[in-house]
Amino acid sequence: MKIYELTPNEVYKELKTSEKGLSFDDAKKRLENYGLNQIEEIKKTPIIYKFLANLYQILALLLWAASVLAFISGTPQLGFAIIAVIIINAIFSFWQEYQAEKAIEALKKILPSTAKVIREGKEEEILASDLVPGDIMVLEEGDHISADARLVKAYQMKVDSSTLTGESKPVRKVADSEEAADNLINVHNLVFAGTNIASGSGKAIVYATGSHTEFNKIAALTQELKDEPSPLQKELRRVTQIIAILAILMGLTLFFVNIYLVNLPLSVAFLFAIGLTVANVPEGLLPTVTLSLAASVQKMARKNALIKRLSSVETLGSTNIICTDKTGTITKNEMTVRKIWIPYQTLEVTGSGYEPYGNILYEGKEVSHQQIRELRLLMRSATFANDSKLLEPSEPDEPWKILGDPTEAALLVAACKNNFNWKECIKKQPRIVELPFDSKRKSMSSIHKKDDVKMVYIKGAPKKIITLSSHISVNGEVKTFSEEEKEKIVDIHDKMASEGLRILGMAYRELPSDFEDYRPQIVEKDMIFVGLMAMQDPPRPEVKPAVEDCHRAGIRIIMITGDYGLTAHSIAQEVGITSGDCRIIKGKELNVLSDEQVKEILRGDCNVIFARAVPEHKMRIASILESEHEIVAMTGDGVNDAPALRKADIGVAMGITGTDVAKEASDVVLTDDNFATIVGAIKEGRTIYENIGKFITYIFSHETAEIIPFVLMVLFNIPLPITVMQILAIDLGTDTVPALALGVGPSESDVMDRPPRPRKERLLNRFVIFRGYIYLGLIEAVLVMSGYFWILSSAGWTIGVNLPFDDPIYLKATTMVFAGIVMAQIGNLLGCQTTRTSAFTVGVFKNRWIIWGILFEFVVLISIIYLPFMNGIFGTTALGINEWVYLVTFIPIMFFAEEFRKFISRRKHIG
């Protein structure tokens, strides 16, 4: 018989396990026998192809063309040098991309996939890769299923099997045996690896892992996945295309001018054209961008934000709206029951956290026997309709731990303080059916049976529970629940909610002994209301400063919560999200509002909170904001949040409380579930985009100083002030490490004091062109050419006199230009650390990579100037003390020139 044809008891026997699960020793043996539960990796691009791709990107093609021209012009040594540059650059680029890819893979392992199983009668959380056939998986809403398994228990379970079937609609699953089926995927008592629990809960016995799963069979047929280029990648492609076109045009222009106006020999004209073309190519640009993004991702990981895609970093920097949950993100998610209301008395609860120590008091005194009796009714609903567990510490100094939802755990702690032994009660009256919590029903029910008596216990949103109740228990007597009484209790509820307390209502009723229809709409009615439990979940202390940062940075915060409106508003006020007028839109109200009406509300000046919202509302809000061209970061943790997380520009999942489905759908995973971490990630996103602009400015400024000598050579018939080999030494030698230093620099002090970057803002914009090519570039060009003419004039040279390439004076003059660019770039490096703020404010040497960059430049420069074999390759010669004194002045001139620009910029509020 097939496994789906067996009864649950027969499945236990078939897989040699029991309701207590496998023993740890047996599980270890099975793991050795079956191997790790890992899916075979989808075919990836061979590593050699990734390397070769760097040899034919547009800037590399331009250099290949230059090398061919070098051979044609009769200068094979230059041709070989350019080819060497292409290969070195390809190796460098490939290595940085490879390291970035490895960094992302390493980050994914920080949050490994886990599974809840029963072993030796206890629920354990293990790595999904350690699952073996015979393991009993405990499945809950939002869980990612990591192995093929046969259900033995299922409570209102629906599974999203779209990864296998392509059908997005969740499929109902049951534990009953089933007759033979044509397609295994469609069997209703089987669940498969790669699918997700959309709703409900249950238990299933693993029968296939790893390469034996249905998912692996499909994955093995899947071809290589291709990622779409990110906006930044597209922008860099645009920048390189512009640079390539400029390089070609300038090279051709110089070539024809030299041929037809200057009347240079063809080989020499070729050589100069090649030099100008190479001078325009920023060879280190692409690998520097990749490394900067990868370094930023690793930095964010250390600050509890795991970035799943490098391209997400740039989007974070443009975010102008954060749609955030309340519980666990704004608050600590450390629930403590503070107040209990039983008809018609309010009781205080002492103690804090999940330590089950404290008391329940009435007006400062111990509760009476009658109050205890009413509390027991309340505690039954609170603990029976509950899937969490309190874990007693193994060591005296260790804290109590929880397994499951923190809100439900807080109810168990309150029961302990009332000396209510729910475990014994459940043994005597075991659960037979569970109706899991549903965001639309806003309730959870648990049906228990003792002898022939069936009871249903329910907890949920107070107004919902009140609406479902027809009676109320007062001092042990069940009375009709009048509308007037309901309104009074709602007023009591609202008062507690306005204090920032999160409240749940409790009720119960007895079911007929022959009752079998367990649909929620049939079970959850005519309830007997027993009271309210109000919990405090204090805001995280770091959230308020983070909210202040958002306000300064022009980032709007919209709270979308399933909680009660008054509770949400109280917390929002406390942390500074709202001040003054605030519009609270409940889920029901949102349902009747048109998209245009919602847009008008969101465009208004008043703060907006969406309360009693369901995941579908998040999706709708994300779509509306997208239509308004906003850049939205959306938080979520539930399985139904996945569509909204995918829809938003940045989907942010919770690493602690988030479901596997939410984490997979997101772009960012917060390992601490903290709102402040989102703000920190946005700050880092802004910083990395600015840093890319800084090193583009740095690279472009020396290109102007490399291009101007060619222009002056044509205009004034002077010897070429810098050789092609010297240009290559700067572009792929002295400038590489300093450019990387700028790419990983710290944030400027005012990075969160400005509005978000517009989505359409270009990397190569007018400001970058002015700052790099024109302002800094021209100053640098003037400095190095002054050194060039100083050396020549000191030797008696006059304009119009040609010098051979091996003339000592010419070698010294070109060495002066080469060294001058490097020295000026040191000043540039120090000044370009900031765009608006003074470098003194940030700290000139705060970025330790700056120091290493300067040392690297000096070592390369000294080697090229003073090592004899380097002199022959790069056409350089030794410089004296007078020349070095002259060159050193370039550093402060360039630095203070940029500081002056920033000073004027701050005064005029531009730049």
Side-chain angles (χ1 to χ4, degrees), residues 697 765-772 835 898 901 905 910-911:
T697 301
N765 53 41
R766 284 181 295 177
F767 171 69
V768 171
I769 292 171
F770 170 77
R771 184 186 180 198
T835 305
E898 176 61 1
R901 183 203 63 78
S905 176
I910 61 172

Side-chain angles (χ1 to χ4, degrees), residues 370-585:
Q370 183 60 46
Q371 289 169 327
I372 290 174
R373 186 180 183 283
E374 289 295 312
L375 280 170
R376 293 296 167 87
L377 280 174
L378 184 77
M379 294 302 173
R380 277 182 177 270
S381 290
T383 58
F384 281 32
N386 195 316
D387 286 329
S388 67
K389 291 179 175 62
L390 275 181
L391 305 178
E392 193 170 349
S394 54
E395 299 292 334
D397 295 335
E398 291 182 358
W400 283 68
K401 296 180 181 178
I402 66 167
L403 190 64
D405 182 69
T407 301
E408 292 189 338
L411 302 180
L412 298 184
V413 172
C416 289
K417 294 173 182 178
N418 189 44
N419 296 317
F420 178 70
N421 191 337
W422 73 89
K423 293 180 182 178
E424 287 299 319
C425 292
I426 290 175
K427 282 182 183 178
K428 295 174 182 177
Q429 193 179 6
R431 177 188 287 177
I432 58 171
V433 175
E434 176 190 336
L435 301 180
F437 176 81
D438 182 273
S439 58
K440 291 182 179 177
R441 286 177 23 244
K442 295 184 175 63
S443 62
M444 172 192 178
S445 294
S446 184
I447 300 167
H448 294 251
K449 183 178 180 182
K450 182 180 181 182
D451 299 329
D452 291 330
V453 179
K454 293 180 180 178
M455 302 289 292
V456 56
Y457 299 94
I458 185 173
K459 75 173 192 306
K463 288 187 178 181
K464 176 75 173 184
I465 302 302
I466 290 170
T467 302
L468 295 174
S469 299
S470 58
H471 293 76
I472 183 170
S473 176
V474 183
N475 295 325
E477 183 180 349
V478 177
K479 297 181 177 181
T480 301
F481 202 4
S482 68
E483 290 301 319
E484 186 181 349
E485 283 181 299
K486 289 182 180 181
E487 289 177 8
K488 287 181 181 178
I489 296 172
V490 169
D491 289 340
I492 293 167
H493 163 269
D494 288 352
K495 184 180 178 182
M496 287 193 287
S498 65
E499 298 171 8
L501 297 176
R502 187 179 188 187
I503 307 152
L504 289 175
M506 315 290 168
Y508 75 98
R509 80 172 172 112
E510 184 176 338
L511 300 174
S513 59
D514 59 349
F515 191 91
E516 294 295 337
D517 189 349
Y518 296 116
R519 288 176 296 168
Q521 63 268 32
I522 303 300
V523 173
E524 296 175 343
K525 63 180 183 179
D526 299 327
M527 305 301 295
I528 302 170
F529 187 74
V530 291
L532 305 169
M533 297 181 77
M535 286 154 281
Q536 182 186 47
D537 183 14
R540 296 175 182 267
E542 61 272 25
V543 167
K544 192 168 185 178
V547 169
E548 291 171 357
D549 285 344
C550 286
H551 290 325
R552 289 201 322 275
I555 299 170
R556 186 179 183 185
I557 304 170
I558 299 174
M559 186 183 285
I560 307 174
T561 177
D563 216 334
Y564 192 59
L566 290 175
T567 304
H569 186 225
S570 174
I571 296 295
Q573 279 188 315
E574 190 171 346
V575 298
I577 291 176
T578 63
S579 59
D581 294 336
C582 180
R583 174 80 180 269
I584 301 173
I585 301 175

Side-chain angles (χ1 to χ4, degrees), residues 717-745:
N717 192 25
I718 64 173
L720 181 62
I722 188 168
T723 69
V724 177
M725 292 301 294
Q726 289 168 355
I727 290 172
L728 292 176
I730 294 168
D731 290 1
L732 270 178
T734 59
D735 259 9
T736 52
V737 176
L740 293 176
L742 289 174
V744 297

Side-chain angles (χ1 to χ4, degrees), residues 265-286:
L266 185 65
S267 60
V268 177
F270 258 135
L271 186 64
F272 289 165
I274 292 167
L276 185 58
T277 302
V278 171
N280 272 286
V281 177
E283 292 88 351
L285 177 61
L286 297 180

